[in-house]
Amino acid sequence: MDYQGSTLVATISIDTGERMAAFVRVVGIFLLLKGCNCGPYEKELLKALLHDYERQNRPVLNETEPLVLTFGVTLQQIIDVDEKNQLLITCLWLNLEWSDYQLNWNSTQYGGVDSIRIHPKLLWTPDLLMYNSADEKFD
């Protein structure tokens, strides 16, 4: 059997600055389950992928195995530099990437669809905690 597989790779971007606003980017086209403007293959694929998907479970086949997570930071803007107090206020994007084994499909069964976007609220995302911040509201 000739298998053309596709895997959804999730990418998280977190915007930090004076306000910590989080948003998630997932490879492909943005789709929401309710009111999505997509073709029938994408709708069918979304329903199949998320049918038994449990977003509370860490996406590994064996619970004893670690999840490989790629982490990166992109400096978007330096907002302020306070040399006297040694304080730097920035706007950063934290880029997180991992593979979720539950989001695999055979693209030939779904009209050649090999990438999609899924709203982050529907997927597992890692818990993030700011460890060191000069801003007291994050402590």
Side-chain angles (χ1 to χ4, degrees):
M1 179 169 116
D2 186 21
Y3 181 79
Q4 258 187 313
S6 297
T7 302
L8 187 67
V9 177
T11 304
I12 298 281
S13 295
I14 297 182
D15 183 18
T16 60
E18 291 181 353
R19 293 186 318 171
M20 181 92 159
F23 65 94
V24 177
R25 247 181 24 216
V26 182
V27 179
I29 302 169
F30 243 114
L31 292 177
L32 299 173
L33 283 181
K34 294 179 182 172
C36 72
N37 296 323
C38 59
Y41 289 115
E42 290 174 348
K43 278 186 178 182
E44 185 180 334
L45 174 58
L46 261 178
K47 286 180 184 178
L49 289 175
L50 299 176
H51 174 65
D52 284 330
Y53 187 87
E54 181 55 55
R55 66 182 297 263
Q56 299 299 322
N57 295 340
R58 194 169 51 97
V60 291
L61 286 171
N62 184 346
E63 290 83 15
T64 61
E65 293 180 12
L67 177 67
V68 178
L69 183 77
T70 304
F71 180 86
V73 176
T74 304
L75 176 63
Q76 291 298 317
Q77 180 181 10
I78 295 175
I79 298 170
D80 190 23
V81 177
D82 184 349
E83 292 178 27
K84 182 179 179 184
N85 295 317
Q86 297 183 352
L87 184 65
L88 175 67
I89 299 174
T90 62
C91 180
L92 302 172
W93 285 358
L94 301 180
N95 304 306
L96 305 173
E97 185 174 303
W98 67 91
S99 291
D100 190 330
Y101 79 94
Q102 301 170 90
L103 301 175
N104 291 321
W105 67 91
N106 184 341
S107 61
T108 59
Q109 292 178 342
Y110 295 97
V113 175
D114 60 1
S115 66
I116 59 169
R117 285 197 172 222
I118 301 175
H119 195 280
K121 291 181 180 179
L122 302 174
L123 299 175
W124 176 89
T125 55
D127 294 330
L128 300 174
L129 175 67
M130 184 180 283
Y131 181 72
N132 190 2
S133 174
D135 193 344
E136 292 179 8
K137 69 181 176 183
F138 289 116
D139 290 339

